[in-house]
Amino acid sequence: MSIIVNVDVMMAKRKMSSQELAEKIGITQANLSILKTGKAKAVRFSTLEAICKALDCQPGDILEYRED
């Protein structure tokens, strides 16, 4: 089971930098990087909501399931 995080794809579509997104959602760039690379073990709904608001997207645009 693989959950793919597509935050970087949505950031590119919105022409937004990591620094700008991190500031908008209130997390550090280091934590955003951990999330973007898929190394995060969990994501809070409040963080997911903030990302969706900042990038004007839906949770399904950010998280994707791919069978191994």
Side-chain angles (χ1 to χ4, degrees):
M1 168 179 85
S2 295
I3 302 294
I4 309 301
V5 181
N6 293 316
V7 172
D8 53 347
V9 173
M10 293 306 298
M11 287 172 49
K13 286 182 179 179
R14 304 295 188 255
K15 296 181 172 76
M16 188 177 295
S17 69
S18 292
Q19 180 179 354
E20 186 180 355
L21 181 60
E23 288 173 3
K24 283 187 174 194
I25 64 176
I27 65 172
T28 64
Q29 282 188 271
N31 284 340
L32 180 58
S33 177
I34 290 168
L35 180 62
K36 284 174 34 179
T37 58
K39 294 181 181 177
K41 298 292 181 195
V43 61
R44 293 177 186 224
F45 281 146
S46 59
T47 302
L48 184 59
E49 180 180 358
I51 292 169
C52 289
K53 184 176 181 179
L55 294 174
D56 189 29
C57 64
Q58 294 295 312
D61 297 328
I62 295 171
L63 300 175
E64 177 184 348
Y65 170 76
R66 287 191 196 157
E67 209 165 320
D68 291 337

